[in-house]
Amino acid sequence: MAHSSSSRTVIFAALGGNLLVAATKFGAAFLTGSASMLSEAIHSLIDTGNQGLLLVGMKRATRPATATHPFGYGLELYFWTFVVALLIFGLGAGVSLYEGIIHIIHPQPVAHVLVNYAVLVASIVFEGSVWLMALRAFRKEGKGRRGWVEAVQMSKDPTVFTVLFEDTAALSGLFVALLGNVLAEWLDMPVLDGVASIIIAFILAVTATFLARESQSLLTGEGVAPEVLRALRTMALGADGVERLNEIRSMHFGPRDVLVVISLDFRNDMTAGQVEIVVSTLERQIKQAYPEVTRVFIEAQDSRGQPAATAARGTAVTP
């Protein structure tokens, strides 16, 4: 299963940058004692690990098929994306919430607040540049005219939208941390630094929940997009000798690794050789039109052997 160079570029850029930013934030948090800065440092460290896990998933997903995994290891990418979502929720949101509560119960004035300002502004500039890279890659990978939520739901490549959502959460957290530090100093209310940390925890929790939902859907097996399904139906029904389309089933094993199974009822007067020619031609047409379809299984079956509801539906069903 190949991955686009843009996906890898975005992940490597985010990984290297987050590692440097995390080290800077930890230094600033140690120097200033800011809870929101510590939350941001932990967030950047977790993001660094997350990008590493995405690269691991991309690498493991490319392993060739074996006897025990005849369809390959493409689903590993979705598994590691789900792990990333759990880490954002469990570590990122959990630690930020804990730090926020502690600093609300025991508020402490932030020392050397100018250091926090400098680090936060610099981090916003960097995270913004990585966010723009991820945004361009996401649009290139197939957002098209879809809305943002619909585009993520329809996307079968979690690497780009995971980095995009991580960076969106990171930018939001940075603005919240900056605002919390400014208000805590101007209003002489150090408790607001803890409040900012809790808001960051909420941002991370929402992001993690959304990513977990999308990766879980991919991990449990999603079919092709509705427009692709309609095109496959049209191609199948237009094949020579096809009297009826019994059903179509499809499943993504990876962003560019799709299994399609089609059951067709052919004319009874056709010979086995004629059916073979039609099947081979149809398979070739499907793969040419949709290169991401790597496996096509076409079954010749009498429609009387199909349940009425299934035969009429012909939708992409996840096994």
Side-chain angles (χ1 to χ4, degrees):
M1 180 185 61
H3 289 87
S4 66
S5 59
S6 61
S7 299
R8 292 185 182 275
T9 300
V10 169
I11 294 176
F12 275 116
L15 187 150
N18 277 322
L19 185 60
L20 294 175
V21 170
T24 305
K25 288 178 180 178
F26 272 115
F30 178 78
L31 182 63
T32 63
S34 169
S36 58
M37 179 59 75
L38 181 59
S39 296
E40 277 300 306
I42 294 170
H43 180 189
S44 294
L45 184 62
I46 292 171
D47 281 352
T48 303
N50 289 343
Q51 272 99 53
L53 290 177
L54 288 177
L55 290 173
V56 169
M58 292 173 71
K59 177 66 175 178
R60 292 179 63 86
T62 59
R63 290 182 295 166
T66 64
T68 55
H69 289 80
F71 290 103
Y73 293 84
L75 290 175
E76 284 227 25
L77 177 62
Y78 300 151
F79 167 76
W80 289 106
T81 304
F82 188 73
V83 172
V84 165
L86 294 181
L87 288 176
I88 295 175
F89 186 87
L91 292 180
V95 173
S96 297
L97 180 62
Y98 172 79
E99 286 295 325
I101 293 174
I102 292 298
H103 281 74
I104 287 177
I105 297 175
H106 305 289
Q108 296 291 333
V110 175
H112 308 290
V113 71
L114 291 179
V115 175
N116 269 1
Y117 294 162
V119 171
L120 289 171
V121 170
S123 298
I124 287 173
V125 172
F126 175 78
E127 291 286 0
S129 62
V130 177
W131 182 83
L132 287 174
M133 287 180 60
L135 179 62
R136 285 195 294 267
F138 181 60
R139 286 175 170 171
K140 180 181 177 182
E141 290 296 323
K143 178 185 179 297
R145 298 180 179 179
R146 295 188 178 100
W148 290 102
V149 175
E150 182 188 3
V152 172
Q153 291 174 337
M154 297 303 296
S155 174
K156 310 304 179 184
D157 188 350
T159 54
V160 173
F161 73 70
T162 297
V163 175
L164 178 62
F165 273 75
E166 278 187 345
D167 286 335
T168 301
L171 274 175
S172 302
L174 286 167
F175 281 114
V176 169
L178 182 60
L179 181 61
N181 275 260
V182 170
L183 292 178
E185 182 189 14
W186 285 3
L187 301 178
D188 194 23
M189 296 178 61
V191 70
L192 294 179
D193 185 43
V195 173
S197 185
I198 291 179
I199 295 175
I200 292 172
F202 175 76
I203 292 172
L204 293 177
V206 171
T207 302
T209 300
F210 187 79
L211 289 176
R213 178 185 175 187
E214 293 307 313
S215 57
Q216 179 270 338
S217 180
L218 291 167
L219 185 60
T220 52
E222 283 191 7
V224 296
E227 59 269 23
V228 176
L229 177 64
R230 287 193 293 269
L232 293 176
R233 286 175 54 87
T234 300
M235 294 170 68
L237 289 171
D240 292 338
V242 173
E243 289 192 335
R244 183 186 180 94
L245 170 65
N246 296 323
E247 65 176 329
I248 298 180
R249 291 178 181 261
S250 65
M251 178 176 173
H252 271 268
F253 285 89
R256 296 168 185 84
D257 186 7
V258 180
L259 166 69
V260 173
V261 180
I262 304 176
S263 174
L264 298 174
D265 183 9
F266 291 90
R267 289 200 321 265
N268 293 332
D269 61 347
M270 294 181 68
T271 66
Q274 290 173 324
V275 171
E276 288 178 357
I277 293 174
V278 173
V279 167
S280 298
T281 301
L282 179 57
E283 178 180 354
R284 185 166 55 253
Q285 289 176 344
I286 291 174
K287 289 185 176 180
Q288 288 177 347
Y290 300 98
E292 67 273 18
V293 177
T294 56
R295 302 175 186 86
V296 179
F297 296 105
I298 300 175
E299 177 185 42
Q301 186 177 22
D302 192 320
S303 61
R304 288 175 295 182
Q306 291 289 321
T310 303
R313 186 171 64 246
T315 57
V317 181
T318 300

mmCIF file of all heavy atoms in Angstrom, residues 31-73:
data_model
loop_
_atom_site.group_PDB
_atom_site.id
_atom_site.type_symbol
_atom_site.label_atom_id
_atom_site.label_comp_id
_atom_site.label_asym_id
_atom_site.label_seq_id
_atom_site.Cartn_x
_atom_site.Cartn_y
_atom_site.Cartn_z
ATOM 1 N N LEU A 31 10.999 27.090 34.123
ATOM 2 C CA LEU A 31 11.481 28.403 34.543
ATOM 3 C C LEU A 31 10.371 29.267 35.120
ATOM 4 O O LEU A 31 10.577 29.991 36.108
ATOM 5 C CB LEU A 31 12.136 29.112 33.354
ATOM 6 C CG LEU A 31 12.755 30.485 33.620
ATOM 7 C CD1 LEU A 31 13.911 30.370 34.607
ATOM 8 C CD2 LEU A 31 13.229 31.110 32.317
ATOM 9 N N THR A 32 9.177 29.181 34.524
ATOM 10 C CA THR A 32 8.090 30.084 34.915
ATOM 11 C C THR A 32 7.095 29.456 35.892
ATOM 12 O O THR A 32 6.363 30.170 36.570
ATOM 13 C CB THR A 32 7.316 30.547 33.667
ATOM 14 O OG1 THR A 32 6.699 29.408 33.039
ATOM 15 C CG2 THR A 32 8.260 31.212 32.670
ATOM 16 N N GLY A 33 6.995 28.130 35.899
ATOM 17 C CA GLY A 33 6.014 27.471 36.758
ATOM 18 C C GLY A 33 4.603 27.542 36.225
ATOM 19 O O GLY A 33 3.635 27.326 36.969
ATOM 20 N N SER A 34 4.437 27.809 34.959
ATOM 21 C CA SER A 34 3.114 27.953 34.356
ATOM 22 C C SER A 34 2.475 26.596 34.095
ATOM 23 O O SER A 34 3.076 25.725 33.456
ATOM 24 C CB SER A 34 3.222 28.746 33.050
ATOM 25 O OG SER A 34 2.015 28.682 32.332
ATOM 26 N N ALA A 35 1.241 26.419 34.574
ATOM 27 C CA ALA A 35 0.517 25.162 34.340
ATOM 28 C C ALA A 35 0.127 25.008 32.889
ATOM 29 O O ALA A 35 0.235 23.921 32.304
ATOM 30 C CB ALA A 35 -0.731 25.112 35.218
ATOM 31 N N SER A 36 -0.329 26.109 32.274
ATOM 32 C CA SER A 36 -0.745 26.023 30.873
ATOM 33 C C SER A 36 0.462 25.749 29.967
ATOM 34 O O SER A 36 0.347 25.032 28.975
ATOM 35 C CB SER A 36 -1.457 27.310 30.442
ATOM 36 O OG SER A 36 -0.624 28.440 30.625
ATOM 37 N N MET A 37 1.635 26.302 30.335
ATOM 38 C CA MET A 37 2.829 26.029 29.541
ATOM 39 C C MET A 37 3.262 24.573 29.687
ATOM 40 O O MET A 37 3.680 23.934 28.706
ATOM 41 C CB MET A 37 3.976 26.957 29.968
ATOM 42 C CG MET A 37 5.281 26.717 29.194
ATOM 43 S SD MET A 37 5.095 26.947 27.412
ATOM 44 C CE MET A 37 5.017 28.735 27.317
ATOM 45 N N LEU A 38 3.137 24.026 30.894
ATOM 46 C CA LEU A 38 3.458 22.617 31.093
ATOM 47 C C LEU A 38 2.503 21.731 30.295
ATOM 48 O O LEU A 38 2.913 20.734 29.690
ATOM 49 C CB LEU A 38 3.399 22.257 32.570
ATOM 50 C CG LEU A 38 3.742 20.795 32.923
ATOM 51 C CD1 LEU A 38 5.153 20.452 32.461
ATOM 52 C CD2 LEU A 38 3.592 20.561 34.431
ATOM 53 N N SER A 39 1.227 22.100 30.286
ATOM 54 C CA SER A 39 0.242 21.357 29.493
ATOM 55 C C SER A 39 0.603 21.392 28.015
ATOM 56 O O SER A 39 0.510 20.379 27.309
ATOM 57 C CB SER A 39 -1.158 21.947 29.692
ATOM 58 O OG SER A 39 -1.578 21.795 31.032
ATOM 59 N N GLU A 40 1.019 22.567 27.545
ATOM 60 C CA GLU A 40 1.413 22.694 26.149
ATOM 61 C C GLU A 40 2.666 21.881 25.844
ATOM 62 O O GLU A 40 2.804 21.291 24.770
ATOM 63 C CB GLU A 40 1.649 24.174 25.809
ATOM 64 C CG GLU A 40 0.393 24.937 25.475
ATOM 65 C CD GLU A 40 -0.310 24.330 24.279
ATOM 66 O OE1 GLU A 40 0.329 24.159 23.230
ATOM 67 O OE2 GLU A 40 -1.499 24.007 24.402
ATOM 68 N N ALA A 41 3.614 21.831 26.791
ATOM 69 C CA ALA A 41 4.835 21.046 26.603
ATOM 70 C C ALA A 41 4.504 19.557 26.491
ATOM 71 O O ALA A 41 5.019 18.849 25.622
ATOM 72 C CB ALA A 41 5.797 21.287 27.756
ATOM 73 N N ILE A 42 3.629 19.090 27.374
ATOM 74 C CA ILE A 42 3.214 17.687 27.330
ATOM 75 C C ILE A 42 2.472 17.395 26.040
ATOM 76 O O ILE A 42 2.663 16.345 25.405
ATOM 77 C CB ILE A 42 2.341 17.362 28.558
ATOM 78 C CG1 ILE A 42 3.175 17.467 29.845
ATOM 79 C CG2 ILE A 42 1.726 15.967 28.439
ATOM 80 C CD1 ILE A 42 2.361 17.394 31.112
ATOM 81 N N HIS A 43 1.637 18.351 25.622
ATOM 82 C CA HIS A 43 0.894 18.210 24.372
ATOM 83 C C HIS A 43 1.858 18.049 23.195
ATOM 84 O O HIS A 43 1.695 17.152 22.355
ATOM 85 C CB HIS A 43 0.006 19.443 24.176
ATOM 86 C CG HIS A 43 -0.815 19.416 22.935
ATOM 87 N ND1 HIS A 43 -1.530 20.492 22.491
ATOM 88 C CD2 HIS A 43 -1.025 18.435 22.023
ATOM 89 C CE1 HIS A 43 -2.152 20.181 21.367
ATOM 90 N NE2 HIS A 43 -1.861 18.942 21.055
ATOM 91 N N SER A 44 2.887 18.893 23.131
ATOM 92 C CA SER A 44 3.858 18.814 22.028
ATOM 93 C C SER A 44 4.642 17.507 22.071
ATOM 94 O O SER A 44 4.941 16.918 21.023
ATOM 95 C CB SER A 44 4.819 20.007 22.078
ATOM 96 O OG SER A 44 4.141 21.214 21.825
ATOM 97 N N LEU A 45 4.976 17.054 23.283
ATOM 98 C CA LEU A 45 5.707 15.791 23.407
ATOM 99 C C LEU A 45 4.853 14.623 22.925
ATOM 100 O O LEU A 45 5.338 13.719 22.225
ATOM 101 C CB LEU A 45 6.129 15.577 24.860
ATOM 102 C CG LEU A 45 6.994 14.334 25.133
ATOM 103 C CD1 LEU A 45 8.306 14.428 24.381
ATOM 104 C CD2 LEU A 45 7.238 14.176 26.633
ATOM 105 N N ILE A 46 3.570 14.633 23.289
ATOM 106 C CA ILE A 46 2.662 13.575 22.850
ATOM 107 C C ILE A 46 2.476 13.629 21.337
ATOM 108 O O ILE A 46 2.463 12.591 20.660
ATOM 109 C CB ILE A 46 1.309 13.703 23.572
ATOM 110 C CG1 ILE A 46 1.478 13.393 25.066
ATOM 111 C CG2 ILE A 46 0.273 12.764 22.962
ATOM 112 C CD1 ILE A 46 0.260 13.691 25.888
ATOM 113 N N ASP A 47 2.369 14.844 20.786
ATOM 114 C CA ASP A 47 2.242 14.976 19.339
ATOM 115 C C ASP A 47 3.467 14.405 18.624
ATOM 116 O O ASP A 47 3.349 13.780 17.563
ATOM 117 C CB ASP A 47 2.067 16.452 18.955
ATOM 118 C CG ASP A 47 0.639 16.935 19.170
ATOM 119 O OD1 ASP A 47 -0.232 16.084 19.463
ATOM 120 O OD2 ASP A 47 0.386 18.146 19.059
ATOM 121 N N THR A 48 4.646 14.625 19.211
ATOM 122 C CA THR A 48 5.866 14.067 18.624
ATOM 123 C C THR A 48 5.796 12.546 18.582
ATOM 124 O O THR A 48 6.099 11.917 17.556
ATOM 125 C CB THR A 48 7.100 14.501 19.445
ATOM 126 O OG1 THR A 48 7.153 15.926 19.503
ATOM 127 C CG2 THR A 48 8.382 13.980 18.810
ATOM 128 N N GLY A 49 5.396 11.948 19.701
ATOM 129 C CA GLY A 49 5.240 10.496 19.735
ATOM 130 C C GLY A 49 4.174 10.012 18.786
ATOM 131 O O GLY A 49 4.317 8.954 18.151
ATOM 132 N N ASN A 50 3.117 10.798 18.657
ATOM 133 C CA ASN A 50 2.031 10.408 17.760
ATOM 134 C C ASN A 50 2.487 10.352 16.303
ATOM 135 O O ASN A 50 2.121 9.426 15.554
ATOM 136 C CB ASN A 50 0.862 11.389 17.888
ATOM 137 C CG ASN A 50 0.130 11.237 19.211
ATOM 138 O OD1 ASN A 50 0.286 10.224 19.896
ATOM 139 N ND2 ASN A 50 -0.651 12.220 19.570
ATOM 140 N N GLN A 51 3.264 11.354 15.890
ATOM 141 C CA GLN A 51 3.763 11.332 14.519
ATOM 142 C C GLN A 51 4.685 10.130 14.300
ATOM 143 O O GLN A 51 4.685 9.526 13.229
ATOM 144 C CB GLN A 51 4.504 12.634 14.204
ATOM 145 C CG GLN A 51 3.601 13.732 13.674
ATOM 146 C CD GLN A 51 3.204 14.721 14.760
ATOM 147 O OE1 GLN A 51 4.072 15.265 15.438
ATOM 148 N NE2 GLN A 51 1.920 14.971 14.904
ATOM 149 N N GLY A 52 5.456 9.796 15.329
ATOM 150 C CA GLY A 52 6.287 8.599 15.239
ATOM 151 C C GLY A 52 5.445 7.349 15.063
ATOM 152 O O GLY A 52 5.788 6.465 14.267
ATOM 153 N N LEU A 53 4.339 7.262 15.783
ATOM 154 C CA LEU A 53 3.456 6.100 15.666
ATOM 155 C C LEU A 53 2.798 6.036 14.289
ATOM 156 O O LEU A 53 2.596 4.951 13.733
ATOM 157 C CB LEU A 53 2.385 6.142 16.754
ATOM 158 C CG LEU A 53 2.872 5.888 18.181
ATOM 159 C CD1 LEU A 53 1.723 6.019 19.161
ATOM 160 C CD2 LEU A 53 3.506 4.506 18.301
ATOM 161 N N LEU A 54 2.452 7.195 13.729
ATOM 162 C CA LEU A 54 1.881 7.204 12.379
ATOM 163 C C LEU A 54 2.886 6.681 11.360
ATOM 164 O O LEU A 54 2.529 5.930 10.444
ATOM 165 C CB LEU A 54 1.448 8.627 12.003
ATOM 166 C CG LEU A 54 0.199 9.177 12.710
ATOM 167 C CD1 LEU A 54 -0.050 10.609 12.275
ATOM 168 C CD2 LEU A 54 -1.019 8.315 12.417
ATOM 169 N N LEU A 55 4.154 7.052 11.540
ATOM 170 C CA LEU A 55 5.188 6.544 10.638
ATOM 171 C C LEU A 55 5.365 5.034 10.810
ATOM 172 O O LEU A 55 5.579 4.310 9.831
ATOM 173 C CB LEU A 55 6.517 7.267 10.905
ATOM 174 C CG LEU A 55 6.560 8.741 10.473
ATOM 175 C CD1 LEU A 55 7.858 9.390 10.952
ATOM 176 C CD2 LEU A 55 6.424 8.875 8.963
ATOM 177 N N VAL A 56 5.266 4.573 12.053
ATOM 178 C CA VAL A 56 5.330 3.124 12.301
ATOM 179 C C VAL A 56 4.173 2.425 11.592
ATOM 180 O O VAL A 56 4.353 1.391 10.941
ATOM 181 C CB VAL A 56 5.293 2.824 13.811
ATOM 182 C CG1 VAL A 56 5.076 1.339 14.071
ATOM 183 C CG2 VAL A 56 6.586 3.280 14.474
ATOM 184 N N GLY A 57 2.980 2.990 11.720
ATOM 185 C CA GLY A 57 1.813 2.405 11.063
ATOM 186 C C GLY A 57 1.957 2.375 9.554
ATOM 187 O O GLY A 57 1.612 1.385 8.904
ATOM 188 N N MET A 58 2.472 3.457 8.974
ATOM 189 C CA MET A 58 2.670 3.505 7.529
ATOM 190 C C MET A 58 3.681 2.455 7.079
ATOM 191 O O MET A 58 3.506 1.814 6.040
ATOM 192 C CB MET A 58 3.133 4.909 7.121
ATOM 193 C CG MET A 58 2.078 5.980 7.308
ATOM 194 S SD MET A 58 2.694 7.665 7.025
ATOM 195 C CE MET A 58 2.908 7.642 5.247
ATOM 196 N N LYS A 59 4.725 2.273 7.876
ATOM 197 C CA LYS A 59 5.752 1.291 7.530
ATOM 198 C C LYS A 59 5.221 -0.129 7.636
ATOM 199 O O LYS A 59 5.392 -0.957 6.728
ATOM 200 C CB LYS A 59 6.957 1.466 8.462
ATOM 201 C CG LYS A 59 8.079 0.456 8.255
ATOM 202 C CD LYS A 59 8.738 0.628 6.903
ATOM 203 C CE LYS A 59 9.914 -0.302 6.757
ATOM 204 N NZ LYS A 59 10.560 -0.185 5.418
ATOM 205 N N ARG A 60 4.543 -0.440 8.729
ATOM 206 C CA ARG A 60 4.040 -1.800 8.943
ATOM 207 C C ARG A 60 2.917 -2.141 7.961
ATOM 208 O O ARG A 60 2.729 -3.312 7.609
ATOM 209 C CB ARG A 60 3.554 -1.952 10.381
ATOM 210 C CG ARG A 60 4.671 -1.889 11.412
ATOM 211 C CD ARG A 60 4.122 -2.023 12.833
ATOM 212 N NE ARG A 60 3.485 -3.306 13.042
ATOM 213 C CZ ARG A 60 4.123 -4.419 13.411
ATOM 214 N NH1 ARG A 60 5.431 -4.393 13.597
ATOM 215 N NH2 ARG A 60 3.467 -5.552 13.595
ATOM 216 N N ALA A 61 2.183 -1.141 7.524
ATOM 217 C CA ALA A 61 1.075 -1.390 6.595
ATOM 218 C C ALA A 61 1.560 -1.822 5.218
ATOM 219 O O ALA A 61 0.798 -2.397 4.439
ATOM 220 C CB ALA A 61 0.206 -0.138 6.468
ATOM 221 N N THR A 62 2.826 -1.548 4.903
ATOM 222 C CA THR A 62 3.350 -1.895 3.581
ATOM 223 C C THR A 62 3.909 -3.314 3.516
ATOM 224 O O THR A 62 4.360 -3.751 2.444
ATOM 225 C CB THR A 62 4.476 -0.918 3.176
ATOM 226 O OG1 THR A 62 5.532 -0.973 4.147
ATOM 227 C CG2 THR A 62 3.941 0.500 3.090
ATOM 228 N N ARG A 63 3.872 -4.050 4.618
ATOM 229 C CA ARG A 63 4.398 -5.422 4.592
ATOM 230 C C ARG A 63 3.571 -6.280 3.636
ATOM 231 O O ARG A 63 2.350 -6.130 3.553
ATOM 232 C CB ARG A 63 4.361 -6.025 5.996
ATOM 233 C CG ARG A 63 5.371 -5.414 6.966
ATOM 234 C CD ARG A 63 5.320 -6.087 8.322
ATOM 235 N NE ARG A 63 4.038 -5.861 8.973
ATOM 236 C CZ ARG A 63 3.614 -6.548 10.037
ATOM 237 N NH1 ARG A 63 4.372 -7.511 10.537
ATOM 238 N NH2 ARG A 63 2.443 -6.271 10.573
ATOM 239 N N PRO A 64 4.222 -7.183 2.916
ATOM 240 C CA PRO A 64 3.501 -8.015 1.949
ATOM 241 C C PRO A 64 2.574 -9.008 2.637
ATOM 242 O O PRO A 64 2.751 -9.336 3.820
ATOM 243 C CB PRO A 64 4.630 -8.734 1.199
ATOM 244 C CG PRO A 64 5.776 -8.749 2.165
ATOM 245 C CD PRO A 64 5.673 -7.468 2.933
ATOM 246 N N ALA A 65 1.606 -9.489 1.885
ATOM 247 C CA ALA A 65 0.654 -10.471 2.408
ATOM 248 C C ALA A 65 1.369 -11.770 2.765
ATOM 249 O O ALA A 65 2.394 -12.133 2.174
ATOM 250 C CB ALA A 65 -0.433 -10.726 1.380
ATOM 251 N N THR A 66 0.828 -12.457 3.764
ATOM 252 C CA THR A 66 1.363 -13.741 4.193
ATOM 253 C C THR A 66 0.227 -14.755 4.248
ATOM 254 O O THR A 66 -0.943 -14.415 4.017
ATOM 255 C CB THR A 66 2.026 -13.624 5.574
ATOM 256 O OG1 THR A 66 1.011 -13.270 6.545
ATOM 257 C CG2 THR A 66 3.122 -12.572 5.581
ATOM 258 N N ALA A 67 0.563 -15.979 4.596
ATOM 259 C CA ALA A 67 -0.461 -17.020 4.700
ATOM 260 C C ALA A 67 -1.466 -16.699 5.799
ATOM 261 O O ALA A 67 -2.653 -17.002 5.683
ATOM 262 C CB ALA A 67 0.200 -18.371 4.959
ATOM 263 N N THR A 68 -0.991 -16.102 6.883
ATOM 264 C CA THR A 68 -1.886 -15.767 7.991
ATOM 265 C C THR A 68 -2.598 -14.436 7.773
ATOM 266 O O THR A 68 -3.619 -14.170 8.413
ATOM 267 C CB THR A 68 -1.104 -15.715 9.311
ATOM 268 O OG1 THR A 68 -0.010 -14.797 9.177
ATOM 269 C CG2 THR A 68 -0.575 -17.090 9.683
ATOM 270 N N HIS A 69 -2.045 -13.577 6.910
ATOM 271 C CA HIS A 69 -2.682 -12.299 6.580
ATOM 272 C C HIS A 69 -2.758 -12.184 5.054
ATOM 273 O O HIS A 69 -1.993 -11.432 4.430
ATOM 274 C CB HIS A 69 -1.889 -11.125 7.162
ATOM 275 C CG HIS A 69 -1.978 -11.016 8.651
ATOM 276 N ND1 HIS A 69 -1.234 -11.798 9.491
ATOM 277 C CD2 HIS A 69 -2.752 -10.229 9.458
ATOM 278 C CE1 HIS A 69 -1.518 -11.497 10.745
ATOM 279 N NE2 HIS A 69 -2.445 -10.560 10.751
ATOM 280 N N PRO A 70 -3.654 -12.930 4.443
ATOM 281 C CA PRO A 70 -3.696 -12.997 2.975
ATOM 282 C C PRO A 70 -4.040 -11.675 2.298
ATOM 283 O O PRO A 70 -3.747 -11.502 1.115
ATOM 284 C CB PRO A 70 -4.761 -14.059 2.700
ATOM 285 C CG PRO A 70 -5.614 -14.080 3.931
ATOM 286 C CD PRO A 70 -4.691 -13.779 5.065
ATOM 287 N N PHE A 71 -4.656 -10.756 3.023
ATOM 288 C CA PHE A 71 -4.980 -9.455 2.441
ATOM 289 C C PHE A 71 -3.979 -8.378 2.848
ATOM 290 O O PHE A 71 -4.231 -7.190 2.664
ATOM 291 C CB PHE A 71 -6.395 -9.027 2.831
ATOM 292 C CG PHE A 71 -7.463 -9.856 2.180
ATOM 293 C CD1 PHE A 71 -8.129 -10.838 2.889
ATOM 294 C CD2 PHE A 71 -7.790 -9.665 0.846
ATOM 295 C CE1 PHE A 71 -9.103 -11.615 2.290
ATOM 296 C CE2 PHE A 71 -8.766 -10.429 0.237
ATOM 297 C CZ PHE A 71 -9.424 -11.408 0.959
ATOM 298 N N GLY A 72 -2.851 -8.787 3.418
ATOM 299 C CA GLY A 72 -1.825 -7.829 3.785
ATOM 300 C C GLY A 72 -2.069 -7.211 5.152
ATOM 301 O O GLY A 72 -2.908 -7.672 5.930
ATOM 302 N N TYR A 73 -1.322 -6.144 5.440
ATOM 303 C CA TYR A 73 -1.338 -5.521 6.761
ATOM 304 C C TYR A 73 -1.789 -4.059 6.712
ATOM 305 O O TYR A 73 -1.469 -3.270 7.592
ATOM 306 C CB TYR A 73 0.058 -5.588 7.381
ATOM 307 C CG TYR A 73 0.499 -6.990 7.720
ATOM 308 C CD1 TYR A 73 1.070 -7.814 6.765
ATOM 309 C CD2 TYR A 73 0.343 -7.503 9.007
ATOM 310 C CE1 TYR A 73 1.479 -9.115 7.068
ATOM 311 C CE2 TYR A 73 0.748 -8.789 9.328
ATOM 312 C CZ TYR A 73 1.315 -9.581 8.346
ATOM 313 O OH TYR A 73 1.716 -10.869 8.658
#
